[in-house]
Every structure is written in structure tokens, then in C-alpha cells.
Amino acid sequence: MTSLNQQDTIFVNQEADAWYERNAASATEPAPANDRILRALSHLTLPAQGILIDVGGSSGRVAEGFRRQYPQWQCRVVEPSGKAIAAGKKAFPHLEFTQGSITQAQGLPWQEATIVVISSVFHWVDRSLLSRAVANVDLALKDGGYLVISDFDSPFLRANAYKHRSGLYTYKQDYAEIFRHLGIYHLIYRFSETLVDHSGSDLDDPYDRQWVTSILRKDLQDRYFHKSE
């Protein structure tokens, strides 16, 4: 059995490239307007300019789909796969790419983003590094900014064996709840759906295929009532 700290190393150094290769056919087409992330963001009234960071954004198709709707925004992609970044730089030259992981604190653009997107990422993170990943995301998002999380939505904690490599796991839970419990994020959008084509799930258990896209707003100011002693 692979230990937890080894899992992160394997996903970052090997499986990220392998995932990209399995999905490369559609990786250099910008995401359409009905993409679940772009559809969620369409519910917001956004400024003409801002900064979007897509963490684990592969070749940048979601970031590019957003940029085409908001051409004055700076759109940045943080991605561990060198192959995905090479393809993204060629296909989407207006995007900024940084090679790295959500669990990595140094050398990444964790600063003052208006929107941070975390799609299909948290369930890969080994549990020993989950709190670090949450801290990095929080550091990246400015006060008043929006956090978009799209991931599995199990009603209870579960670890599924990863079908592409023995000894690795994907972890399913409601990741938006972690941020809500910090007391400085509140939920403003939530769309739940059942994946119909996810072959790695238990088809006899609908909760194993449940997916949710959430948007949370970060509010540091005026979140507490102040009482004089």
C-alpha cells in the first residue's frame, strides 16, 4: 500500500502527465459557455478586470473559455503536468502558466486573486497535505473574491481505490464545507448532479457518483458582531 506522502509525489510527478495524456484529445479546445465552471460563474456580476487562478487547470481550457468572455482579465493556470502546460502555452498564448501543485506553497502565484477555481483537484490530495492545500487556496484569494470548487459530493468521508494505479486513492467529501467552517466564506451558489459516465465509481451507489459545483464568497470584513465589554 502506498503511504500518504508518497501519493502526493506520485500524483504530482507522474499521474498528472498520465491524466493529461488520457484526456489530451479535448485539451486544446477552450471550454464552452455551458461548461459547469463557466455556467456557475455566469451567475455572478463580475468587474471588467480581475485575476482568475485555475489551480490544477491542466492545459487551460477553462481559463481560456473564461478569458474569451472577459478579455481584460488576467488568467493564470497552476498545473503540475509539464505536458499539459506545453500544450496550453501553444494553444492559449494569452494565459499565464506556472508548474506546481495545490500543496506547494513556494514559487506559485498565491496572491490577490479575484476568482480561484479548484475543479477535480481536492479529491486527489492526500490527507496529510489537505490542510496545506486549503491554506494555499485561502492565501490566493483576496477579500471579497470568489472560490469555485467543483468536486465529488459524498455525504460521508470515503476513499476509493484509484483505478489507474494500485495503492492510490481518491477522497470524496463536500470540500466547500471545509471553507464554510472557517467562518469567513459563505455559500452563494451550489449545483449538484450525478455523474453518468464515471467508470471509477460504484454504480450501485448513487452517492459515489454525486458531484457538486459550489461558489463561496470570501468576506473578512464585518463577519463578526463586536460587543463592548
Side-chain angles (χ1 to χ4, degrees):
M1 177 178 177
T2 304
S3 66
L4 290 180
N5 56 356
Q6 285 180 297
Q7 168 152 324
D8 187 71
T9 300
I10 292 171
F11 271 117
V12 168
N13 295 335
Q14 300 174 31
E15 184 52 32
D17 277 341
W19 185 94
Y20 171 75
E21 290 175 339
R22 291 194 298 270
N23 295 275
S26 61
T28 54
E29 293 292 328
N34 65 351
D35 173 87
R36 59 168 59 99
I37 301 300
L38 301 184
R39 189 172 65 235
L41 288 172
S42 72
H43 289 80
L44 302 177
T45 301
L46 297 174
Q49 296 181 332
I51 298 172
L52 177 140
I53 300 177
D54 189 356
V55 182
S58 188
S59 57
R61 60 186 306 271
V62 169
E64 177 64 13
F66 179 85
R67 190 200 65 80
R68 294 190 179 193
Q69 296 180 28
Y70 296 90
Q72 297 185 62
W73 278 57
Q74 296 179 47
C75 295
R76 303 167 179 167
V77 177
V78 174
E79 168 59 37
S81 169
K83 293 182 178 180
I85 289 177
K89 285 183 175 180
K90 182 177 180 180
F92 310 128
H94 296 290
L95 300 182
E96 300 175 25
F97 289 88
T98 301
Q99 188 166 9
S101 164
I102 192 174
T103 61
Q104 178 183 342
Q106 301 299 319
L108 297 178
W110 302 135
Q111 56 185 343
E112 292 302 299
T114 316
I115 298 172
V116 175
V117 175
I118 316 289
S119 179
S120 304
V121 173
F122 275 126
H123 67 260
W124 306 115
V125 178
D126 73 49
R127 301 300 89 172
S128 68
L129 297 175
L130 181 58
S131 61
R132 183 186 301 177
V134 169
N136 288 339
V137 171
D138 181 57
L139 183 64
L141 188 65
K142 72 176 185 178
D143 186 23
Y146 298 101
L147 172 60
V148 185
I149 302 176
S150 192
D151 216 309
F152 288 104
D153 182 33
S154 174
F156 50 85
L157 304 179
R158 68 167 82 207
N160 285 24
Y162 184 55
K163 70 174 185 177
H164 296 289
R165 185 155 181 164
S166 176
L168 302 183
Y169 294 87
T170 56
Y171 296 93
K172 301 182 180 183
Q173 65 186 85
D174 184 352
Y175 289 99
E177 282 296 294
I178 298 175
F179 290 88
R180 290 187 64 215
H181 284 297
L182 293 176
I184 58 173
Y185 287 84
H186 73 271
L187 186 68
I188 61 173
Y189 172 91
R190 177 180 170 90
F191 180 78
S192 184
E193 58 190 307
T194 300
L195 301 179
V196 296
D197 57 352
H198 187 66
S199 59
S201 298
D202 181 355
L203 298 181
D204 295 324
D205 182 356
Y207 289 119
D208 200 38
R209 293 178 284 126
Q210 200 70 16
W211 191 271
V212 66
T213 302
S214 303
I215 301 180
L216 302 102
R217 180 181 167 94
K218 183 178 182 179
D219 289 303
L220 291 174
Q221 304 297 323
D222 300 324
R223 292 292 288 160
Y224 292 90
F225 292 102
H226 296 278
K227 295 177 64 177
S228 59
E229 293 297 332

